[in-house]
Amino acid sequence: MAVRAFDPSHQQVPLKRILDRIFKTHLGTWIAIHIGQRVDPYLMRATGGRIRISFTAPTILLTHIGAKSGKRRTTPLLYFTAGDKVVLIVSKGGAPHHPAWYYNVKAHPEVEASTDGRPERYIAREAEGDERGRLWRLATTLYSGFADYQARATHRRIPVIVLEPV
């Protein structure tokens, strides 16, 4: 399986309190976005997903096509699963605008994802309505910092992306 199942309502991340405290801070968020985003793809591919900057968080490598450039991009993201679906939160640490990967996935919903270096194909879509609410609650169970990020992102609602297997 290219993506390990992770249900936040039943599984707890080791050292979860430390993760929450560190990554809720502006410095922790900056490290995750500016260092983890660059280093984790190499670490995860080289180690089959065993080593990454965000060592306490379930992390997926999402490979997507640039909306404008058409180039393949890979982004490490916190994720969880709901059945056979993979759920991603478009938080960017509560920044005022969505991250680039969100626009790429909206323009080209055919993506690849893996946690073990063997990508599988998915179709991405944005969750809406009751589904979004249910998945958002699960996301804040996994990482309470998402609620803080939403408070920071005063001019946007943080989207929830669902990856469905092809």
Side-chain angles (χ1 to χ4, degrees):
M1 173 184 233
V3 175
R4 290 181 197 100
F6 190 91
D7 180 350
S9 65
H10 294 99
Q11 299 177 27
Q12 289 299 313
V13 178
L15 308 171
K16 184 177 186 307
R17 289 185 187 141
I18 293 170
L19 171 76
D20 280 3
R21 275 192 228 129
I22 291 171
F23 289 107
K24 277 182 176 180
T25 68
H26 288 285
L27 176 61
T29 300
W30 186 90
I31 289 169
I33 292 171
H34 297 289
I35 296 175
Q37 295 279 313
R38 288 180 172 80
V39 175
D40 276 351
Y42 299 104
L43 286 175
M44 289 179 70
R45 284 187 189 121
T47 66
R50 290 183 302 277
I51 299 175
R52 57 196 181 275
I53 295 291
S54 54
F55 65 94
T56 61
T59 304
I60 194 169
L61 291 179
L62 177 71
T63 301
H64 45 93
I65 304 298
K68 294 178 185 175
S69 70
K71 294 181 182 177
R72 286 175 56 90
R73 310 273 186 208
T74 300
T75 306
L77 299 165
L78 183 70
Y79 81 99
F80 63 93
T81 56
D84 65 345
K85 296 172 181 67
V86 177
V87 181
L88 308 172
I89 307 300
V90 188
S91 67
K92 196 176 182 184
H97 54 279
H98 299 311
W101 70 264
Y102 169 77
Y103 300 107
N104 294 346
V105 165
K106 293 295 277 186
H108 303 284
E110 305 85 13
V111 299
E112 293 179 349
S114 81
T115 56
D116 65 2
R118 296 175 300 171
E120 290 185 349
R121 294 176 46 224
Y122 293 86
I123 299 295
R125 65 175 175 78
E126 190 167 339
E128 300 290 343
D130 291 342
E131 179 189 38
R132 187 214 178 268
R134 179 178 58 79
L135 295 174
W136 179 258
R137 284 187 295 280
L138 281 171
T140 59
T141 298
L142 171 62
Y143 175 52
S144 64
F146 285 136
D148 293 342
Y149 294 169
Q150 182 59 76
R152 282 185 211 162
T154 57
H155 298 304
R156 72 176 178 105
R157 182 176 187 202
I158 293 177
V160 175
I161 297 294
V162 176
L163 306 182
E164 296 180 331
V166 172

